[in-house]
Coordinates of all heavy atoms in Angstrom, one line a residue:
M1 N 70.0 54.9 104.3 CA 68.6 54.6 104.0 C 68.5 54.5 102.4 O 68.9 55.3 101.7 CB 67.6 55.5 104.5 CG 66.2 55.2 104.2 SD 64.9 56.2 105.0 CE 65.5 57.8 105.1
V2 N 67.7 53.5 102.0 CA 67.4 53.3 100.5 C 66.0 54.0 100.4 O 65.1 53.7 100.9 CB 67.4 51.9 100.2 CG1 67.1 51.8 98.6 CG2 68.8 51.2 100.5
K3 N 66.1 55.0 99.4 CA 64.7 55.7 99.2 C 64.2 55.2 97.9 O 64.8 55.0 97.0 CB 65.0 57.2 99.1 CG 65.6 57.8 100.3 CD 66.0 59.3 100.2 CE 66.7 59.7 101.4 NZ 67.2 61.1 101.2
D4 N 62.8 55.4 97.7 CA 62.0 55.0 96.5 C 62.4 56.2 95.6 O 62.6 57.4 95.9 CB 60.6 55.0 96.8 CG 60.1 53.8 97.6 OD1 60.6 52.7 97.2 OD2 59.3 53.9 98.4
L5 N 62.5 55.8 94.2 CA 62.8 56.8 93.2 C 61.8 56.6 92.0 O 61.6 55.5 91.6 CB 64.2 56.7 92.8 CG 64.8 57.6 91.7 CD1 64.8 59.0 92.4 CD2 66.1 57.3 91.3
K6 N 61.2 57.6 91.6 CA 60.4 57.7 90.3 C 61.1 58.3 89.2 O 62.2 59.1 89.4 CB 59.2 58.5 90.7 CG 58.3 58.1 91.8 CD 57.6 56.8 91.6 CE 56.8 56.4 92.8 NZ 56.8 55.0 93.1
L7 N 60.8 57.9 88.0 CA 61.6 58.5 86.9 C 61.7 59.9 86.8 O 62.7 60.6 86.4 CB 60.9 57.9 85.5 CG 61.6 58.2 84.3 CD1 63.1 57.8 84.2 CD2 60.9 57.6 83.0
N8 N 60.6 60.6 87.2 CA 60.5 62.1 87.2 C 61.5 62.7 88.2 O 61.7 63.9 88.3 CB 59.0 62.7 87.2 CG 58.4 62.3 88.5 OD1 58.9 61.5 89.3 ND2 57.3 63.0 88.7
E9 N 61.9 61.9 89.1 CA 62.8 62.5 90.2 C 64.3 62.2 89.9 O 65.3 62.5 90.6 CB 62.5 61.7 91.6 CG 61.1 62.0 91.9 CD 60.7 61.1 93.1 OE1 61.1 59.9 93.2 OE2 59.8 61.5 93.8
L10 N 64.6 61.4 88.9 CA 65.9 60.8 88.5 C 66.9 62.0 88.3 O 68.0 62.1 88.9 CB 65.8 60.0 87.2 CG 67.3 59.6 86.8 CD1 67.9 58.7 87.9 CD2 67.1 58.7 85.6
D11 N 66.5 63.0 87.4 CA 67.4 64.1 87.1 C 67.9 64.8 88.3 O 69.1 65.1 88.5 CB 66.7 65.0 86.1 CG 66.7 64.5 84.7 OD1 67.5 63.5 84.4 OD2 65.8 64.9 83.9
K12 N 66.9 65.1 89.3 CA 67.2 65.9 90.4 C 68.1 65.0 91.3 O 69.2 65.6 91.9 CB 66.0 66.2 91.2 CG 66.2 66.9 92.4 CD 64.9 67.2 93.2 CE 65.2 68.0 94.5 NZ 64.0 68.2 95.3
A13 N 67.9 63.7 91.4 CA 68.8 62.9 92.3 C 70.2 62.9 91.8 O 71.1 62.9 92.5 CB 68.3 61.5 92.4
V14 N 70.3 62.7 90.5 CA 71.7 62.7 89.8 C 72.4 64.1 89.9 O 73.5 64.1 90.1 CB 71.6 62.3 88.4 CG1 72.8 62.5 87.6 CG2 71.1 60.8 88.3
Q15 N 71.6 65.2 89.8 CA 72.3 66.5 90.0 C 72.7 66.8 91.3 O 73.8 67.5 91.6 CB 71.2 67.6 89.5 CG 71.0 67.6 88.0 CD 69.8 68.6 87.6 OE1 69.2 69.2 88.5 NE2 69.6 68.7 86.4
E16 N 72.0 66.3 92.3 CA 72.2 66.6 93.8 C 73.3 65.6 94.4 O 73.9 65.9 95.4 CB 71.1 66.4 94.6 CG 70.0 67.5 94.3 CD 68.7 67.4 95.1 OE1 68.6 66.4 95.8 OE2 68.0 68.4 95.0
N17 N 73.7 64.4 93.7 CA 74.5 63.5 94.1 C 75.6 63.1 93.1 O 75.1 62.7 92.0 CB 73.8 62.3 94.7 CG 72.7 62.7 95.7 OD1 73.0 62.8 96.9 ND2 71.5 62.8 95.4
S18 N 76.8 63.1 93.4 CA 77.8 62.7 92.4 C 77.9 61.2 92.2 O 78.4 60.7 91.3 CB 79.3 63.4 92.8 OG 79.6 62.8 94.0
L19 N 77.4 60.4 93.3 CA 77.5 58.9 93.3 C 76.1 58.5 93.7 O 75.6 58.7 94.8 CB 78.5 58.5 94.1 CG 79.0 57.0 94.1 CD1 79.4 56.7 92.7 CD2 80.1 56.8 95.1
V20 N 75.5 57.8 92.7 CA 74.0 57.3 92.9 C 74.0 55.8 92.7 O 74.6 55.3 91.6 CB 73.1 58.1 91.9 CG1 71.7 57.4 92.1 CG2 73.0 59.6 92.2
F21 N 73.3 55.0 93.5 CA 73.2 53.6 93.4 C 71.6 53.4 93.2 O 70.9 53.8 94.1 CB 73.7 52.9 94.7 CG 73.6 51.5 94.6 CD1 74.6 50.7 94.1 CD2 72.4 50.8 95.0 CE1 74.6 49.3 94.2 CE2 72.3 49.4 95.0 CZ 73.4 48.7 94.6
I22 N 71.3 52.7 92.2 CA 69.9 52.4 92.1 C 69.5 50.8 92.0 O 70.2 50.1 91.2 CB 69.3 52.9 90.7 CG1 69.5 54.5 90.7 CG2 67.8 52.7 90.6 CD1 69.1 55.1 89.4
D23 N 68.8 50.4 92.8 CA 68.3 48.9 92.9 C 66.9 48.8 92.3 O 66.0 49.2 92.8 CB 68.3 48.6 94.3 CG 67.8 47.2 94.7 OD1 67.5 46.4 93.7 OD2 67.6 46.8 95.8
F24 N 66.9 48.0 91.2 CA 65.7 47.8 90.4 C 65.2 46.4 91.0 O 66.0 45.5 90.9 CB 65.8 47.7 88.9 CG 66.1 49.1 88.3 CD1 67.2 49.6 88.2 CD2 64.9 49.7 87.7 CE1 67.4 50.8 87.5 CE2 65.0 51.0 87.2 CZ 66.3 51.5 87.0
F25 N 64.0 46.3 91.5 CA 63.6 45.1 92.1 C 62.0 44.9 91.9 O 61.4 45.8 91.4 CB 63.8 45.2 93.6 CG 62.9 46.1 94.4 CD1 61.7 45.6 95.1 CD2 63.0 47.5 94.2 CE1 60.8 46.5 95.6 CE2 62.1 48.4 94.9 CZ 61.0 47.8 95.5
A26 N 61.5 43.8 92.5 CA 60.0 43.5 92.4 C 59.7 42.8 93.7 O 60.7 41.9 94.2 CB 59.5 42.7 91.4
N27 N 58.7 43.0 94.4 CA 58.4 42.4 95.6 C 58.2 40.9 95.5 O 58.5 40.2 96.5 CB 57.0 42.9 96.2 CG 57.3 44.3 96.8 OD1 58.3 44.8 97.2 ND2 56.2 45.2 96.5
W28 N 57.8 40.4 94.4 CA 57.7 38.9 94.2 C 58.8 38.2 93.9 O 59.0 37.0 93.9 CB 56.6 38.6 93.0 CG 57.0 39.4 91.8 CD1 56.5 40.5 91.4 CD2 58.0 39.0 90.8 NE1 57.0 41.0 90.2 CE2 58.0 40.1 89.8 CE3 58.8 38.0 90.6 CZ2 58.7 40.1 88.7 CZ3 59.7 38.0 89.6 CH2 59.6 39.0 88.7
C29 N 60.0 39.0 93.7 CA 61.3 38.4 93.2 C 62.1 37.9 94.5 O 62.5 38.7 95.3 CB 62.0 39.5 92.5 SG 63.7 39.1 92.1
G30 N 62.4 36.6 94.6 CA 63.1 36.0 95.7 C 64.5 36.6 95.8 O 65.0 37.0 96.8
P31 N 65.4 36.6 94.7 CA 66.6 37.1 94.7 C 66.7 38.6 95.0 O 67.5 39.1 95.8 CB 67.2 36.9 93.3 CG 66.4 35.8 92.8 CD 65.1 35.9 93.3
C32 N 65.6 39.3 94.7 CA 65.6 40.7 95.1 C 65.4 40.9 96.6 O 65.9 41.8 97.2 CB 64.3 41.5 94.3 SG 64.4 41.4 92.6
R33 N 64.5 40.1 97.1 CA 64.2 40.1 98.6 C 65.5 39.8 99.3 O 65.8 40.3 100.4 CB 63.0 39.3 98.9 CG 61.7 39.8 98.5 CD 60.6 39.1 99.2 NE 60.7 37.7 99.2 CZ 60.1 36.9 98.3 NH1 59.4 37.4 97.2 NH2 60.2 35.5 98.4
A34 N 66.2 38.8 98.7 CA 67.5 38.4 99.4 C 68.5 39.5 99.4 O 69.3 39.6 100.3 CB 68.1 37.2 98.7
M35 N 68.5 40.4 98.4 CA 69.5 41.3 98.2 C 69.1 42.6 99.1 O 69.9 43.5 99.4 CB 69.7 41.8 96.8 CG 70.5 40.8 96.0 SD 72.1 40.4 96.6 CE 72.9 42.0 96.5
M36 N 67.9 42.8 99.5 CA 67.3 44.1 100.1 C 68.1 44.3 101.4 O 68.6 45.5 101.6 CB 65.8 44.0 100.4 CG 65.1 44.3 99.2 SD 63.3 44.1 99.6 CE 62.7 44.4 97.9
P37 N 68.3 43.3 102.3 CA 69.1 43.7 103.5 C 70.6 44.0 103.2 O 71.2 44.8 103.9 CB 69.0 42.3 104.3 CG 68.3 41.3 103.6 CD 67.8 42.0 102.4
V38 N 71.1 43.4 102.0 CA 72.6 43.8 101.7 C 72.6 45.2 101.3 O 73.5 45.9 101.7 CB 72.9 42.8 100.6 CG1 74.3 43.1 100.0 CG2 73.0 41.3 101.1
V39 N 71.7 45.6 100.4 CA 71.7 46.9 99.9 C 71.5 47.9 101.0 O 72.1 49.0 101.2 CB 70.6 47.2 98.8 CG1 70.6 48.6 98.4 CG2 71.1 46.3 97.6
E40 N 70.5 47.7 101.9 CA 70.3 48.4 103.1 C 71.5 48.7 104.1 O 71.8 49.7 104.4 CB 69.1 47.9 103.9 CG 68.5 48.8 105.0 CD 67.8 50.1 104.3 OE1 67.1 50.0 103.4 OE2 68.1 51.2 104.8
E41 N 72.1 47.6 104.3 CA 73.4 47.6 105.1 C 74.4 48.4 104.4 O 75.2 49.2 105.1 CB 73.9 46.1 105.3 CG 75.1 46.0 106.2 CD 75.6 44.6 106.5 OE1 74.7 43.7 106.6 OE2 76.8 44.5 106.6
L42 N 74.6 48.3 103.1 CA 75.6 49.0 102.5 C 75.2 50.5 102.5 O 76.1 51.4 102.6 CB 75.7 48.5 101.0 CG 76.9 49.1 100.1 CD1 78.2 48.8 100.7 CD2 76.7 48.5 98.7
S43 N 73.9 50.9 102.2 CA 73.5 52.3 102.3 C 73.7 52.9 103.7 O 74.1 54.0 103.8 CB 72.0 52.4 101.9 OG 71.2 52.0 103.0
E44 N 73.7 52.1 104.8 CA 74.0 52.6 106.1 C 75.5 52.8 106.2 O 75.9 53.9 106.8 CB 73.4 51.7 107.2 CG 71.8 51.7 107.2 CD 71.3 50.7 108.1 OE1 72.1 50.0 108.8 OE2 70.1 50.4 108.1
E45 N 76.2 51.9 105.8 CA 77.7 52.0 105.8 C 78.2 53.2 105.1 O 79.2 53.9 105.5 CB 78.3 50.7 105.3 CG 79.8 50.5 105.5 CD 80.3 49.2 104.9 OE1 79.7 48.2 105.2 OE2 81.3 49.3 104.2
L46 N 77.6 53.6 103.9 CA 78.0 54.6 103.0 C 77.3 55.8 103.0 O 77.3 56.6 102.1 CB 78.2 54.0 101.6 CG 79.1 52.8 101.4 CD1 79.1 52.3 100.0 CD2 80.5 53.2 101.8
D47 N 76.5 56.0 104.1 CA 75.7 57.1 104.3 C 76.4 58.3 104.2 O 77.5 58.6 104.8 CB 75.0 57.1 105.8 CG 74.0 58.1 105.9 OD1 73.2 58.5 104.8 OD2 73.8 58.7 107.0
G48 N 76.0 59.3 103.4 CA 76.7 60.6 103.2 C 77.7 60.5 101.9 O 78.0 61.6 101.5
K49 N 78.0 59.3 101.5 CA 79.0 59.2 100.4 C 78.2 58.9 99.0 O 78.7 59.3 98.0 CB 80.0 58.2 100.7 CG 80.9 58.4 101.8 CD 81.9 57.4 102.2 CE 82.8 57.7 103.3 NZ 83.7 56.5 103.6
V50 N 77.2 58.1 99.3 CA 76.4 57.6 98.1 C 75.0 57.7 98.4 O 74.5 57.5 99.5 CB 76.7 56.0 97.9 CG1 75.9 55.5 96.6 CG2 78.2 55.8 97.7
A51 N 74.1 58.1 97.3 CA 72.7 58.3 97.5 C 72.1 56.9 97.0 O 72.3 56.5 95.8 CB 72.2 59.5 96.6
F52 N 71.4 56.2 97.8 CA 70.8 54.9 97.5 C 69.4 55.1 97.1 O 68.6 55.7 98.0 CB 71.1 53.9 98.6 CG 72.5 53.3 98.7 CD1 73.4 54.0 99.3 CD2 72.8 52.1 98.2 CE1 74.7 53.5 99.4 CE2 73.9 51.6 98.2 CZ 74.9 52.3 98.8
F53 N 69.0 54.5 96.1 CA 67.5 54.5 95.6 C 67.2 53.1 95.2 O 68.0 52.3 94.8 CB 67.3 55.4 94.5 CG 67.7 56.8 94.9 CD1 68.9 57.3 94.5 CD2 66.7 57.7 95.6 CE1 69.2 58.8 94.8 CE2 67.1 58.9 95.9 CZ 68.3 59.6 95.4
K54 N 65.8 52.9 95.2 CA 65.2 51.6 94.7 C 64.1 51.9 93.8 O 63.3 53.1 94.0 CB 64.8 50.8 95.9 CG 63.7 51.3 96.8 CD 63.5 50.4 98.0 CE 62.5 51.0 99.1 NZ 62.2 50.2 100.1
V55 N 63.9 51.1 92.9 CA 62.8 51.2 91.9 C 62.1 49.9 91.7 O 62.7 48.9 91.4 CB 63.4 51.7 90.5 CG1 62.2 51.8 89.5 CG2 64.1 53.0 90.7
N56 N 60.8 49.9 92.0 CA 59.9 48.8 91.9 C 59.5 48.7 90.4 O 58.8 49.5 90.0 CB 58.7 48.8 92.8 CG 57.8 47.7 92.8 OD1 57.7 47.1 91.7 ND2 57.3 47.2 93.9
V57 N 60.1 47.6 89.8 CA 59.8 47.7 88.3 C 58.3 47.4 88.0 O 57.9 47.8 86.8 CB 60.6 46.6 87.5 CG1 62.1 46.8 87.7 CG2 60.4 45.2 88.2
D58 N 57.5 46.8 88.8 CA 56.1 46.7 88.5 C 55.4 47.9 88.5 O 54.6 48.1 87.7 CB 55.5 45.6 89.6 CG 56.0 44.3 89.4 OD1 56.4 43.8 88.2 OD2 56.0 43.5 90.4
D59 N 55.8 48.8 89.4 CA 55.2 50.1 89.6 C 55.8 51.2 88.6 O 55.1 52.3 88.5 CB 55.2 50.7 91.1 CG 54.4 49.7 92.0 OD1 53.7 48.9 91.5 OD2 54.8 49.7 93.2
N60 N 56.9 50.9 88.1 CA 57.6 51.9 87.3 C 58.2 51.3 86.0 O 59.5 51.4 85.8 CB 58.7 52.5 88.1 CG 58.3 53.2 89.3 OD1 57.8 54.2 89.4 ND2 58.4 52.5 90.6
Q61 N 57.3 50.7 85.3 CA 57.8 50.1 84.0 C 58.7 51.0 83.0 O 59.6 50.6 82.4 CB 56.7 49.4 83.3 CG 56.1 48.3 84.2 CD 55.0 47.6 83.5 OE1 54.4 48.0 82.4 NE2 54.3 46.5 84.1
D62 N 58.1 52.3 83.0 CA 58.8 53.3 82.2 C 60.3 53.5 82.5 O 61.2 53.6 81.8 CB 58.0 54.6 82.1 CG 57.8 55.2 83.4 OD1 57.8 54.4 84.4 OD2 57.5 56.4 83.5
F63 N 60.4 53.5 83.9 CA 61.9 53.6 84.4 C 62.7 52.5 84.0 O 63.8 52.6 83.5 CB 61.7 53.8 86.0 CG 62.9 54.5 86.6 CD1 62.7 55.2 87.8 CD2 64.1 54.5 86.1 CE1 63.7 55.9 88.5 CE2 65.2 55.1 86.7 CZ 64.9 55.9 87.8
A64 N 62.1 51.3 84.3 CA 63.0 50.1 83.8 C 63.2 50.0 82.4 O 64.3 49.7 82.0 CB 62.0 48.8 84.3
E65 N 62.3 50.4 81.6 CA 62.5 50.5 80.1 C 63.6 51.4 79.8 O 64.4 51.1 78.9 CB 61.2 50.8 79.4 CG 60.2 49.7 79.4 CD 58.8 50.1 78.7 OE1 58.9 51.1 78.0 OE2 57.9 49.4 78.9
K66 N 63.6 52.7 80.4 CA 64.6 53.6 80.1 C 66.0 53.1 80.4 O 67.0 53.4 79.5 CB 64.4 54.9 81.0 CG 65.5 55.9 80.7 CD 65.1 57.1 81.6 CE 66.2 58.2 81.5 NZ 66.3 58.9 80.3
F67 N 66.1 52.3 81.4 CA 67.4 51.6 81.7 C 67.6 50.3 81.1 O 68.7 49.6 81.5 CB 67.6 51.6 83.3 CG 68.0 52.9 83.8 CD1 67.2 54.0 84.0 CD2 69.5 53.1 84.2 CE1 67.7 55.2 84.5 CE2 69.8 54.4 84.8 CZ 68.9 55.4 84.9
Q68 N 66.8 49.9 80.4 CA 66.8 48.5 79.7 C 67.0 47.4 80.6 O 67.8 46.5 80.5 CB 67.9 48.5 78.6 CG 67.6 49.6 77.5 CD 68.7 49.6 76.5 OE1 69.8 49.1 76.7 NE2 68.4 50.3 75.4
V69 N 66.2 47.5 81.7 CA 66.3 46.4 82.7 C 65.5 45.2 82.2 O 64.2 45.3 82.1 CB 65.7 46.8 84.1 CG1 65.6 45.8 85.1 CG2 66.6 48.0 84.6
M70 N 66.2 44.0 82.0 CA 65.5 42.8 81.5 C 65.4 41.8 82.6 O 64.5 40.9 82.5 CB 66.3 42.3 80.4 CG 66.3 43.3 79.2 SD 64.8 43.6 78.5 CE 65.2 44.7 77.2
S71 N 66.3 41.8 83.5 CA 66.3 40.9 84.7 C 66.5 41.6 86.0 O 67.1 42.7 86.0 CB 67.4 39.9 84.5 OG 67.2 39.1 83.2
I72 N 65.9 41.1 87.1 CA 66.1 41.6 88.3 C 66.6 40.6 89.3 O 66.3 39.4 89.1 CB 64.9 42.3 88.9 CG1 63.6 41.3 88.7 CG2 64.5 43.6 88.1 CD1 62.3 41.8 89.3
P73 N 67.3 41.0 90.4 CA 67.7 42.4 90.7 C 68.7 42.9 89.7 O 69.5 42.2 89.2 CB 68.1 42.2 92.1 CG 68.7 40.9 92.2 CD 67.7 40.0 91.4
C74 N 68.6 44.2 89.6 CA 69.6 44.9 88.7 C 70.0 46.2 89.4 O 69.2 47.0 89.9 CB 68.9 45.2 87.4 SG 70.0 45.9 86.1
F75 N 71.3 46.4 89.5 CA 71.9 47.4 90.2 C 72.7 48.4 89.3 O 73.5 47.9 88.6 CB 72.8 47.0 91.3 CG 72.1 46.0 92.2 CD1 72.4 44.6 92.0 CD2 71.2 46.3 93.1 CE1 71.8 43.6 92.8 CE2 70.6 45.3 94.0 CZ 70.9 44.0 93.7
F76 N 72.4 49.7 89.4 CA 73.2 50.6 88.5 C 73.9 51.5 89.4 O 73.4 52.1 90.5 CB 72.2 51.5 87.7 CG 71.7 50.7 86.4 CD1 70.6 49.9 86.6 CD2 72.3 50.9 85.2 CE1 70.1 49.4 85.5 CE2 71.9 50.3 84.1 CZ 70.7 49.5 84.3
V77 N 75.1 51.9 89.0 CA 75.9 52.9 89.7 C 76.0 54.1 88.8 O 76.5 53.9 87.6 CB 77.4 52.5 90.1 CG1 78.2 53.6 90.6 CG2 77.2 51.3 91.2
I78 N 75.7 55.3 89.1 CA 75.8 56.5 88.3 C 76.8 57.4 89.0 O 76.6 57.8 90.1 CB 74.4 57.2 88.1 CG1 73.4 56.2 87.5 CG2 74.5 58.5 87.3 CD1 71.9 56.7 87.5
K79 N 77.9 57.7 88.2 CA 78.9 58.6 88.8 C 78.8 59.9 87.8 O 79.0 59.9 86.7 CB 80.2 58.0 88.7 CG 80.5 56.9 89.6 CD 81.8 56.3 89.5 CE 82.0 55.1 90.6 NZ 83.3 54.5 90.5
N80 N 78.9 61.0 88.5 CA 78.8 62.3 87.9 C 77.9 62.3 86.7 O 78.2 62.8 85.6 CB 80.3 62.6 87.5 CG 81.2 62.7 88.6 OD1 80.9 63.3 89.6 ND2 82.4 62.0 88.5
G81 N 76.7 61.9 86.9 CA 75.7 61.9 85.9 C 75.6 61.0 84.8 O 74.7 60.9 83.9
K82 N 76.5 59.9 84.8 CA 76.6 58.9 83.8 C 76.6 57.5 84.4 O 77.3 57.3 85.4 CB 77.8 59.0 83.0 CG 77.8 60.4 82.2 CD 78.9 60.5 81.2 CE 78.9 61.9 80.7 NZ 79.6 62.3 79.4
V83 N 75.9 56.6 83.7 CA 76.0 55.2 84.3 C 77.4 54.7 84.1 O 78.0 54.6 83.1 CB 75.0 54.3 83.4 CG1 75.1 52.9 83.7 CG2 73.6 54.7 83.4
D84 N 77.8 54.3 85.3 CA 79.3 53.7 85.4 C 79.2 52.2 85.4 O 80.1 51.6 84.8 CB 79.9 54.3 86.6 CG 81.3 53.9 86.8 OD1 82.1 54.4 86.0 OD2 81.7 53.1 87.6
S85 N 78.2 51.6 86.0 CA 78.3 50.1 85.9 C 76.8 49.7 86.1 O 75.9 50.3 86.7 CB 79.1 49.5 87.0 OG 78.5 49.8 88.4
K86 N 76.6 48.4 85.7 CA 75.4 47.7 85.9 C 75.7 46.2 86.4 O 76.5 45.5 85.8 CB 74.6 47.6 84.5 CG 73.4 46.8 84.5 CD 72.7 46.8 83.0 CE 71.5 45.9 83.0 NZ 71.0 45.9 81.6
T87 N 75.0 45.8 87.4 CA 75.2 44.4 87.9 C 73.8 43.8 87.9 O 72.8 44.4 88.5 CB 75.7 44.5 89.3 OG1 77.0 45.2 89.2 CG2 75.9 43.1 89.8
V88 N 73.7 42.6 87.4 CA 72.4 41.9 87.3 C 72.5 40.7 88.2 O 73.6 39.9 88.2 CB 72.1 41.4 85.9 CG1 70.7 40.6 85.9 CG2 72.0 42.6 85.0
G89 N 71.5 40.4 89.1 CA 71.6 39.2 89.9 C 72.1 39.4 91.2 O 72.4 40.5 91.6
T90 N 72.0 38.3 92.0 CA 72.6 38.5 93.4 C 74.1 38.5 93.3 O 74.7 38.1 92.5 CB 72.1 37.3 94.3 OG1 72.6 36.0 93.6 CG2 70.6 37.2 94.4
T91 N 74.5 39.3 94.4 CA 76.0 39.4 94.5 C 76.4 39.8 96.0 O 75.5 39.7 96.8 CB 76.5 40.6 93.5 OG1 78.0 40.7 93.6 CG2 75.9 41.9 94.0
T92 N 77.7 40.1 96.3 CA 78.0 40.3 97.7 C 78.0 41.8 97.9 O 78.1 42.7 96.9 CB 79.4 39.8 98.0 OG1 80.3 40.5 97.1 CG2 79.3 38.3 97.7
K93 N 78.0 42.2 99.2 CA 78.1 43.6 99.5 C 79.5 44.2 99.1 O 79.5 45.2 98.6 CB 78.0 43.7 101.1 CG 78.0 45.2 101.5 CD 77.7 45.3 103.1 CE 79.0 45.0 103.8 NZ 79.0 45.4 105.2
E94 N 80.4 43.3 99.2 CA 81.8 43.7 98.8 C 81.8 44.0 97.3 O 82.5 45.0 96.9 CB 82.8 42.7 99.3 CG 83.0 42.6 100.7 CD 81.9 41.8 101.5 OE1 81.2 41.0 100.8 OE2 81.7 42.1 102.7
A95 N 81.3 43.2 96.6 CA 81.2 43.5 95.1 C 80.5 44.7 94.7 O 81.0 45.5 93.9 CB 80.6 42.2 94.4
L96 N 79.4 45.0 95.4 CA 78.6 46.2 95.1 C 79.5 47.4 95.6 O 79.5 48.4 94.8 CB 77.3 46.2 95.8 CG 76.3 45.2 95.3 CD1 75.0 45.3 96.2 CD2 75.9 45.5 93.8
K97 N 80.2 47.3 96.7 CA 81.0 48.3 97.1 C 82.1 48.6 96.3 O 82.5 49.8 95.9 CB 81.5 48.1 98.5 CG 82.2 49.1 99.3 CD 82.6 48.8 100.7 CE 83.1 50.0 101.4 NZ 83.5 49.5 102.8
A98 N 82.8 47.6 95.6 CA 83.7 47.8 94.7 C 83.2 48.4 93.3 O 84.0 49.3 92.9 CB 84.3 46.4 94.2
K99 N 82.0 48.1 92.9 CA 81.4 48.9 91.7 C 81.3 50.3 92.1 O 81.3 51.1 91.2 CB 80.1 48.3 91.5 CG 80.0 46.8 91.0 CD 80.5 46.8 89.5 CE 80.4 45.4 89.0 NZ 80.7 45.3 87.5
L100 N 81.1 50.7 93.3 CA 80.9 52.1 93.7 C 82.4 52.8 93.8 O 82.4 54.0 93.9 CB 80.3 52.3 95.0 CG 78.7 51.9 95.0 CD1 78.3 51.6 96.4 CD2 78.0 53.1 94.4
G101 N 83.4 52.0 93.8 CA 84.7 52.6 93.8 C 85.1 53.0 95.3 O 86.0 53.7 95.4
L102 N 84.5 52.3 96.2 CA 84.8 52.6 97.6 C 85.2 51.5 98.4 O 85.1 50.2 98.1 CB 83.5 53.1 98.3 CG 82.9 54.5 97.6 CD1 81.6 54.7 98.3 CD2 83.9 55.6 97.8

């Protein structure tokens, strides 16, 4: 399951999970909507291995600014507390899984 994440919850999420996936999106964004089922499917497949979160950039502009998100959808992988990769735009489930190293 992909959970909503606020900026003030980020540190806790990263401390509690060695592998974190964050999906920056907006409800009005067609490519973001197209990626939602892909991310959801991946989260179910990797349940217990990766913590999946989503951030609505319209509601969390400070969060998007902190990560310098200029285009959406935008996906971040955080490994052991550090940003490991950033992917912008639509992609495949397999490509996202590869970014996670799984």
Side-chain angles (χ1 to χ4, degrees):
M1 175 175 39
V2 183
K3 300 174 187 173
D4 289 317
L5 184 66
K6 305 287 185 215
L7 183 55
N8 65 346
E9 302 166 332
L10 176 63
D11 288 339
K12 181 179 179 189
V14 170
Q15 288 173 354
E16 292 178 351
N17 303 281
S18 60
L19 195 51
V20 174
F21 181 94
I22 304 174
D23 173 6
F24 286 88
F25 76 101
N27 291 324
W28 51 263
C29 170
C32 298
R33 288 195 314 268
M35 288 301 299
M36 285 180 185
V38 174
V39 173
E40 192 66 45
E41 184 179 324
L42 190 59
S43 75
E44 291 171 11
E45 185 178 316
L46 300 176
D47 186 38
K49 296 179 182 175
V50 181
F52 281 83
F53 297 100
K54 59 185 176 179
V55 176
N56 184 322
V57 296
D58 290 332
D59 298 336
N60 300 282
Q61 292 178 357
D62 54 341
F63 205 152
E65 286 176 18
K66 178 179 175 71
F67 277 75
Q68 299 177 345
V69 173
M70 301 297 182
S71 299
I72 51 175
C74 188
F75 310 101
F76 282 85
V77 173
I78 300 174
K79 290 184 181 177
N80 299 315
K82 297 187 183 199
V83 173
D84 185 68
S85 71
K86 174 183 177 180
T87 304
V88 178
T90 58
T91 187
T92 64
K93 182 177 86 168
E94 292 76 23
L96 291 176
K97 192 172 181 180
K99 292 283 186 176
L100 290 162
L102 302 171

